[in-house]
Structure formats: structure tokens, C-alpha cells
Amino acid sequence: MSAPERPPINKDEVEDLRRLFFDKYSADEGGGIFDDRDIDRVRADDNYLHGFLMIGKMNKQDALTKMVDALKWRKEWGINDLTFEAFPDWALQIGGLYSRGKDKVGRKILWFKVATHKKDASRAEWVKKYIAFWLDKLHKENPGENIVLVEDMTNAGLANMDMDVIGFLIKCLELRFPAVVGMLYVYNMPWYLNAIWKIIEKLLSEESKAHIKFLFGDDVQQYVSKDHLPPHMGGTDTYQWVWPPPDNEDSVEEISILQNTMDETFEQASDNLSSPAPSDSPPDSPPGGSGDVVNGTEAVTNGDVRIPPKNQVVKKGGDVGTAK
């Protein structure tokens, strides 16, 4: 069963909701219970308001109540001020949550590797904020579009199941970031976690249940192509999250795809570098680009895209480090 399609925006309904909000909360402009940046978003972003109309089932008063609740929460949690640098290193380095690739219909994928999370009350608040940060980041980067959340349960066990964090995630998906996640794919959930799922299921609305699909083995390839899947899902993408993150995620994805298909190119470049250069080509420049030595290893430049050796990754600021 596929998820229900996102209905088109009704401009009149959106404008009515906007008017209801400002009729009631215009005095809050300039500071108060809402973040001014969110007020600006309500004023200008039809897609954002449309999301609340969807979860309010097109009832404007219900949508207004849900929107006000979400906006208050955003101010209390400082969502607009969250950046990568705001988080402790451990939250960034474990690679438990990151965006990478797209599904077959073009929606960005947010990966949640459940096995990397251990229940720890001292860290729970940071984990929740990191989830909110990623959902907000992708929501703003893709206005009016859905994303896909892949909850990878590979190697997960009871120690990784934190009901507090799960409850927070459900609330985010249903209320805090309305209509952002088009599908939640739960991959390879162990049979011994079925009892916990029965508890989680009771927390979900019927609408949310229609957006969840359980996948096992190669099933995931029906929805995500192999070049956007990691090897344990039968894919060819060997990317691993590293911190600090690259400055330009799209460029890094392009580099990764190029690396997957450039074995022969690297071999040819090595042959060219080890043989005498033609008289009309500088001796330190392979055909089609220039040689750049990084940590004692040649890196090939292809046009504007700098391709590091296969076992290295581009880090923030253009530095190159060894992939984990």
C-alpha cells in the first residue's frame, strides 16, 4: 500500500489560516511567545501553513491550534538557532542520523541508524534536538516537498530502543513538522522487537500508520535504487558519515558517485603520472585535470570537482581525511 498523495495547496484556505493567526497573535510580533523568524515564515510560506491544514484535516481552527503549539515549541527549543556546531562531538561523530541520496521518486532520504543509539538519559535531550535539527533543516531546504525517513534497524536490539526518544520522534513527525515525512521505511526490524512495536503502534494516528512500511532484505530496492543504498541493503554506496561534515553535501554526493565508477580512470591516471608527459602538457598534470598531492597521495581534479583518492573524504573547509 502506497502513502496518500500530498493534496495541492488551496490558496484561499491557506490565506484564511494566516488571517486567523495574525488576528489572534499580531501583538506578539517583535518578540514574545514565538520566534520572529517563524512569524516571518507564517507570513510568507504557503507550504508551511498547508502542512498544518493537512494535519488539521482542513479544519482551520484545528490547524491553528496545532500551528500555535508547534510555534511555541520551536521558540522554547531554539530550533532556528540549531547548527551542527551547537551539538557535542559525540552526537555528530557516531553517524546515527544524516541525510544522503534520494528515493526513486526524488525525495531526499534521512537515515536513522538505530543501532548507534544507546538509551542514556544524560544524552536524550541532545538526541531529540539532533532529530529536530535534521527535520527542520530538510524541511527548510525542500519547501513543499516530502522527505523519506529510513529507520535502519540492522543490528539493533533492546538496548537501542528508547521509548522516550521514539515518542519524541512520533510527535515531531505528526505535529512539529507536519506533512514533511512522506514515508517512514523501517528496515530489518528483528522479530524480538515486535512486542515493542505493538506499543509504538498505539501511539500512532491512523494517518501516520498509512505512511509506514516495513522492509526486509532486498525489499528496499523497490523504493530506493542501488546507487543510493549502502552495501548491507544490496546497494553500491559506500559513503560513511564523517565529522566535520562537508561544506557542500551535493558536491560530496557527486564525488562519491564518481568514485564508485572511476577504478579504471584512477589506474589510467596513475599510468599517465608514471610515464613521461607529452611536450604540450605539464609533467605534473594528468589529462583532463591537474595533479594535487594530498597527504602524499595524488588527487585528481575533474573540471570543478576535486576528486580525492578512494579511501579519503573531503572534510569541512576542503581538507581531506581518511574515510572511516
Side-chain angles (χ1 to χ4, degrees):
M1 181 179 63
S2 60
E5 293 187 5
R6 185 186 182 100
I9 293 178
N10 184 313
K11 294 283 188 178
D12 292 335
E13 297 286 342
V14 167
E15 196 54 45
D16 284 345
L17 177 58
R18 182 176 287 122
R19 177 182 52 77
L20 285 172
F21 177 82
F22 283 112
D23 283 349
K24 188 171 184 178
Y25 294 102
S26 58
D28 188 71
E29 293 184 44
I33 59 175
F34 305 124
D35 188 313
D36 288 347
R37 290 162 289 187
D38 289 330
I39 294 291
D40 291 340
R41 193 176 183 185
V42 170
R43 185 180 289 109
D45 191 342
D46 288 355
N47 284 300
Y48 189 52
L49 272 64
H50 179 57
F52 288 106
L53 283 167
M54 288 177 62
I55 64 172
K57 300 179 180 178
M58 306 311 290
N59 181 303
K60 288 186 280 291
Q61 287 296 335
D62 192 23
L64 178 63
T65 298
K66 287 177 166 56
M67 184 168 73
V68 168
D69 181 64
L71 294 177
K72 289 179 178 178
W73 171 80
R74 291 177 62 84
K75 173 74 178 287
E76 291 169 1
W77 279 59
I79 299 299
N80 287 315
D81 295 316
L82 293 177
T83 63
F84 283 113
E85 289 72 20
F87 293 93
D89 286 343
W90 63 261
L92 301 165
Q93 292 171 352
I94 60 176
L97 192 69
Y98 61 88
S99 178
R100 173 75 174 171
K102 297 181 179 180
D103 72 355
K104 287 186 175 181
V105 297
R107 297 176 294 191
K108 283 196 172 183
I109 301 173
L110 180 60
W111 296 89
F112 182 15
K113 295 188 174 181
V114 178
T116 64
H117 175 71
K118 303 292 185 183
K119 186 173 181 178
D120 184 341
S122 67
R123 293 184 170 189
E125 204 74 4
W126 282 117
V127 172
K128 293 176 184 178
K129 282 194 173 184
Y130 198 46
I131 291 171
F133 163 71
W134 269 109
L135 289 172
D136 190 59
K137 181 178 187 296
L138 294 176
H139 194 189
K140 288 177 178 176
E141 291 174 353
N142 305 275
E145 298 179 12
N146 293 139
I147 67 169
V148 169
L149 175 59
V150 178
E151 192 168 309
D152 185 1
M153 304 284 286
T154 303
N155 298 323
L158 292 173
N160 307 116
M161 303 303 292
D162 187 335
M163 293 304 296
D164 183 35
V165 171
I166 291 171
F168 174 82
L169 175 61
I170 291 171
K171 201 161 193 176
C172 280
L173 300 185
E174 292 194 336
L175 299 172
R176 307 307 194 199
F177 300 93
V180 173
V181 175
M183 281 300 297
L184 167 59
Y185 294 126
V186 182
Y187 181 78
N188 272 6
M189 187 180 78
W191 64 268
Y192 49 80
L193 295 181
N194 284 340
I196 292 180
W197 168 250
K198 294 297 184 183
I199 298 173
I200 297 171
E201 192 174 27
K202 293 178 181 178
L203 303 175
L204 297 168
S205 66
E206 291 302 316
E207 291 80 4
S208 292
K209 292 175 185 177
H211 292 262
I212 299 174
K213 188 178 292 290
F214 290 86
L215 303 175
F216 297 90
D218 293 342
D219 290 349
V220 67
Q221 295 175 25
Q222 299 176 45
Y223 308 99
V224 183
S225 59
K226 289 185 177 182
D227 56 336
H228 289 278
L229 289 172
H232 72 277
M233 294 182 178
T236 59
D237 186 4
T238 57
Y239 170 87
Q240 293 188 36
W241 170 268
V242 292
W243 178 254
D247 286 323
N248 188 323
E249 183 175 315
D250 291 334
S251 294
V252 173
E253 289 189 9
E254 184 176 354
I255 289 171
S256 179
I257 293 170
L258 286 168
Q259 285 180 335
N260 286 338
T261 60
M262 286 192 64
D263 289 344
E264 294 182 3
T265 303
F266 276 109
E267 291 175 5
Q268 183 178 4
S270 298
D271 291 341
N272 290 335
L273 287 169
S274 61
S275 61
S279 59
D280 59 349
S281 176
D284 59 348
S285 298
S290 61
D292 183 18
V293 178
V294 183
N295 295 335
T297 311
E298 288 290 335
V300 179
T301 301
N302 184 0
D304 293 329
V305 181
R306 187 165 176 268
I307 306 170
K310 292 178 67 178
N311 67 332
Q312 295 184 338
V313 293
V314 179
K315 294 185 177 181
K316 190 172 184 179
D319 296 332
V320 175
T322 302
K324 297 181 179 180

